[in-house]
């Protein structure tokens, strides 16, 4: 990890004051896909920073290329937390976001993804897009780990530039898998519910 990476972790802890709860799931360096609700541009940074050091080294948050390459500073920050930047505007047939993620994971990295796609405007979680389903289908060996992130949206509200220090909570739940023959819509509802249930734990 670079000096900037360590600074990012320290700042994330300072501004979010996060506590992390592992519920029916243990920290492990095995390959996983952590999937979480999405309410703030800080979600990826905060969740990545909240993972234990040895897991953080092997985990890449998936983030929007158009946002994180908007300035040299953002681009530097994205490189420092090893973000996998995905182009949401120019999707090519032979270079789909799913194929890029699978290729970049290899047999080493875990990913952090936000199946809602864009940030939720309010407290209600949006329906999940199909990406998580196809990741599970192409890599059925991977644990799909639900995560509920609470209060990070208040640290950096929409339209704001500077974060406001607040306390947040990250709850990491029991892994799920795509079942054989499970319809896409059923799986996405089940995955969304797995995240929502952590709100009540």
């Amino acid at each position: 990890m670079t000096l900037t990476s360590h600074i990012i972790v320290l700042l994330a802890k300072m501004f979010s004051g996060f506590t992390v709860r592992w519920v029916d799931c243990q920290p492990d360096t095995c390959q996983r896909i952590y999937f979480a609700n999405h309410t703030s541009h800080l979600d990826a940074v905060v969740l990545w920073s909240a993972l234990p050091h040895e897991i953080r080294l092997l985990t890449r948050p998936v983030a929007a290329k158009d946002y994180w390459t908007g300035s040299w500073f953002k681009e530097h920050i994205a490189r420092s937390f090893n973000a996998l930047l995905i182009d949401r505007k120019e999707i090519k047939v032979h270079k789909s976001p799913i194929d890029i993620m699978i290729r970049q994971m290899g047999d080493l990295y875990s990913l952090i993804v936000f199946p809602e796609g864009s940030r939720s405007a309010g407290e209600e979680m949006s329906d999940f897009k199909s990406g998580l389903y196809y990741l599970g289908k192409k890599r059925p060996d991977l644990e799909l780990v639900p995560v509920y992130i609470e209060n990070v949206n208040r640290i950096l509200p929409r339209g704001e530039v500077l974060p406001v220090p607040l306390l947040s909570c990250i709850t990491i739940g029991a892994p799920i898998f795509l079942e054989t023959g499970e319809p896409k819509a059923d799986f996405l509802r089940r995955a969304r519910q797995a995240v929502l249930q952590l709100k009540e734990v």
Side-chain angles (χ1 to χ4, degrees), residues 51-114:
L51 295 172
H53 176 74
E54 64 276 10
I55 298 176
R56 197 185 310 138
L57 293 175
L58 299 172
T59 303
R60 301 191 65 182
V62 176
K65 185 177 181 180
D66 55 298
Y67 177 79
W68 287 101
T69 57
S71 69
W72 70 267
F73 179 72
K74 287 181 183 177
E75 196 164 352
H76 175 67
I77 295 296
R79 281 198 303 270
S80 299
F81 67 86
N82 203 18
L84 173 53
L85 301 182
I86 297 295
D87 195 330
R88 300 182 295 182
K89 297 181 179 180
E90 294 185 15
I91 298 175
K92 300 177 181 178
V93 176
H94 301 295
K95 286 188 177 181
S96 73
I98 300 302
D99 290 336
I100 293 170
M101 290 181 214
I102 293 294
R103 186 166 60 253
Q104 291 293 323
M105 287 184 78
D107 296 320
L108 180 64
Y109 288 105
S110 294
L111 295 181
I112 294 172
V113 301
F114 300 97

Side-chain angles (χ1 to χ4, degrees), residues 38-58:
H38 193 22
T39 60
S40 168
H41 282 308
L42 292 181
D43 289 336
V45 177
V46 170
L47 177 50
W48 179 80
S49 299
L51 295 172
H53 176 74
E54 64 276 10
I55 298 176
R56 197 185 310 138
L57 293 175
L58 299 172

Side-chain angles (χ1 to χ4, degrees), residues 54-196:
E54 64 276 10
I55 298 176
R56 197 185 310 138
L57 293 175
L58 299 172
T59 303
R60 301 191 65 182
V62 176
K65 185 177 181 180
D66 55 298
Y67 177 79
W68 287 101
T69 57
S71 69
W72 70 267
F73 179 72
K74 287 181 183 177
E75 196 164 352
H76 175 67
I77 295 296
R79 281 198 303 270
S80 299
F81 67 86
N82 203 18
L84 173 53
L85 301 182
I86 297 295
D87 195 330
R88 300 182 295 182
K89 297 181 179 180
E90 294 185 15
I91 298 175
K92 300 177 181 178
V93 176
H94 301 295
K95 286 188 177 181
S96 73
I98 300 302
D99 290 336
I100 293 170
M101 290 181 214
I102 293 294
R103 186 166 60 253
Q104 291 293 323
M105 287 184 78
D107 296 320
L108 180 64
Y109 288 105
S110 294
L111 295 181
I112 294 172
V113 301
F114 300 97
E116 293 169 272
S118 57
R119 293 169 295 155
S120 299
E123 295 295 324
E124 184 67 23
M125 235 169 72
S126 302
D127 291 337
F128 281 6
K129 298 187 184 305
S130 58
L132 184 64
Y133 169 80
Y134 289 112
L135 285 170
K137 192 171 184 178
K138 292 199 172 195
R139 289 291 304 271
D141 57 306
L142 296 180
E143 292 184 349
L144 308 176
V145 180
V147 181
Y148 186 77
I149 304 173
E150 187 173 12
N151 225 23
V152 172
N153 60 312
R154 294 184 176 91
I155 298 170
L156 187 66
R158 280 178 178 266
E160 297 297 324
V161 177
L162 297 175
V164 179
L166 286 171
L167 297 179
S168 59
C169 182
I170 296 170
T171 306
I172 302 172
I176 67 171
F177 296 88
L178 175 62
E179 297 177 1
T180 303
E182 184 175 15
K184 179 174 67 175
D186 291 353
F187 168 76
L188 293 175
R189 278 194 296 269
R190 182 164 66 89
R192 182 177 180 273
Q193 189 59 34
V195 174
L196 281 174

